[in-house]
Amino acid sequence: MKRLQVFTLVFITLLMSCKTTMPIVGAYDAYPVYTGTDLGLTWSPGKSVFKLWSPPAEEARILFYADGQGGSPLKTLPLKKGKKGVWSATVKENIEGQFYAFQVKIKGQWLAEVPDPYAKAVGVNGKRGMVVDPAKTNPSGWDNDRRPVLKNYTDIVIYELHVRDLSSDDNSGIRNKGKFLGLTETGTRSKEGEATGIDHLVDLGVTHVHLLPSYDYLSIDESKPYDPKVYNWGYDPQNYNVPEGSYATNAENGAVRIREFKQMVKALHDKGIRVILDVVYNHTGVTEASNFNQLVPGYYYRQNEKGGFSDASACGNETASERAMMRKFIVESVKYWATEYHLDGFRFDLMGIHDMETMNEVSRELRKIDPSIFVYGEGWTAGASPLPDERKAIKKNTHLMENVAAFSDDMRDGIKGHVFHPEQKGFVSGLAGLEESVKFGVVASTQHPQVNYQKINYSQAPWAKEPHQTINYASCHDNHTLWDRLAISAPEASEANRIRMHKLAGAMVLTSQGVAFLHAGVELLRTKKGEENSYKSPDDINRLDWSRKAKHKDVYTYFKGLIALRKNHPALRMTSAEMIRKHLKFLELSESNLVAYTISGNANGDSWKEILVVFNGNPGDKKFEIPGGKWTVAVNGNQINEQGLDSIGNGSMSIPPYTAMVLYQQ
Ligand code: CA
């Protein structure tokens, strides 16, 4: 997550005029806490009830409009102050289709009109709430939509995707380019005849699609027609409980984006794929002018020692999950997405900004809805935070949380080298000294007697209590694609060798314990043409270039084979750290850039009695001793065949450069 500092600063400058006086920090704790779950709009055909929490407000009102932007109010209604800082008003007529905004007066001054943070539908550009009949937002068959079966979190193979990237290429064969509906189209083909879009995801075999921010964010003007040059990742949240309008076929009518988001979820569910949303509760896209801040100035954010906004997100502000009403907002928001939109998981951006108690409550509440809903996040912050480390949901505290996972930067950078030093090589490209980091990834960051924790690149101790608390990956939307990174860090290597490194990286992620995570397009040697922080680069940088599927079919087939291998072999996705310690043993090897381990005893019910996995990141062949008996080769550097490509049986083996191999004994 890297993005919008400049953008945010511009907004702060623009909005100096609506700066509000914030009370001293301690005063926020004295604000009454409302525990009801009816904040925002509760609608029925004959009655709309509006509730707004704003303890410091002297007056509050709601303004009704005919449109999502512009025009004069149709009506202004004062809100009445009740208990616990809650203001309310009831309209006893059917106002479906109307738009509305809240406004509060503090210290004699009316602040800006904004939708309430709990708004579930908004007009164009999210400036006003919209009164929508929820029943009319359900696509046909929605009542029968079911989450695909998931037994264990370690069965998950995540595919991280931006809504636009799947379809925006001219060669996608998809009609609804850049839209939620682009993820509902089946039977789509590239001009080379390869399956694209949702069919591609099904064929590849991933279990979950993780969508980059798809709630309503600020940076795309939804009133303008689709422009391939105007693009954003979406890490600038505006309305948390509403889908992004630029991904809908109509951003004016607030019901359309809701319905089309649900159509997308249903289409993926129908194909057996679960859906995860990237959620960015750690900061808002604007600070002073945000919905939160115009209704309860300062409360939802942390303050620095000078009383201003602290900035652990490096985007101008950080939210204060430890404050009761912010925590409540986050918990209710994810519950809403899980129930109304049937979402199956949540990826928390800069999760380290949140406190652990909030993350535990998120996980606990979601598991009450369905125990298979998965929660994970970035276990770090982007800047200093006033929240003490012992309360933060940072990576090293993951073991203290329940059913919350974190990304393993240890494994990521062990595989390809330090993320902030693009020229640096990693294990797959021949840099020695990362063996323990790789082994740590193999055991999903858990405690294992054969890992030397003093030699790991970042962590000095196991941070996952159980394997499902680790997300193993080699690349994601941030930074270079894996393929570009290999070009930058190993320019001397032939393309054939870089393809070997790339496949080796894929094999390391997909054979390791824990939860596997793939950046969309890694299976096509995705390139962003060398760009790193492509958060606002045009479609032609960020799109999945579908011509690469036919061109690099061997890479695609290899990744597909690795996913199938992982699905077919429960030994590769053991469910407890204890099981891993019992069955997984590393071979003692003296060579650098060589890691090998066995998984014995039909682990986790596997059909294979013994499994031997070897990673060679060296530029040359490596020969070494292996346990005796005849081994069948299921995976080599070129291909995968679980029935057997070859066999080895003399107590030693040789592995080619930049290669992963998987062997087994029945
Ligand atoms: Ca938007």
Side-chain angles (χ1 to χ4, degrees), residues 550-624:
K551 195 172 164 194
H552 301 293
K553 198 62 186 287
D554 63 316
V555 176
Y556 174 72
T557 306
Y558 196 75
F559 273 79
K560 178 181 166 177
L562 288 169
I563 293 169
L565 177 82
R566 188 175 184 86
K567 285 175 151 177
N568 292 340
H569 293 283
L572 302 178
R573 38 192 172 82
M574 286 186 262
T575 52
S576 73
E578 196 186 340
M579 200 188 285
I580 295 170
R581 283 190 288 272
K582 181 177 170 198
H583 295 281
L584 193 151
K585 302 276 184 281
F586 292 99
L587 305 192
E588 300 293 344
L589 301 169
S590 53
E591 296 272 5
S592 61
N593 273 70
L594 192 65
V595 167
Y597 60 92
T598 56
I599 306 175
S600 303
N602 299 99
N604 200 20
D606 207 291
S607 60
W608 288 348
K609 186 159 176 257
E610 300 282 325
I611 301 175
L612 172 62
V613 180
V614 188
F615 308 133
N616 179 19
N618 288 287
D621 287 8
K622 288 292 159 190
K623 199 171 176 189
F624 58 98

Side-chain angles (χ1 to χ4, degrees), residues 478-506:
D478 274 324
N479 312 108
H480 296 104
T481 68
L482 178 60
W483 183 237
D484 288 348
R485 168 64 182 244
L486 291 170
I488 293 164
S489 57
E492 76 292 347
S494 65
E495 179 169 294
N497 270 343
R498 281 186 282 117
I499 288 175
R500 288 174 163 274
M501 296 171 190
H502 193 99
K503 287 177 166 176
L504 170 58

Side-chain angles (χ1 to χ4, degrees), residues 125-126 215-222 238 243-246 257:
N125 285 328
Y215 53 73
D216 182 36
Y217 62 82
L218 271 162
S219 49
I220 304 282
D221 186 345
E222 301 173 358
Q238 185 174 17
E244 162 59 16
S246 68
R257 58 178 82 184

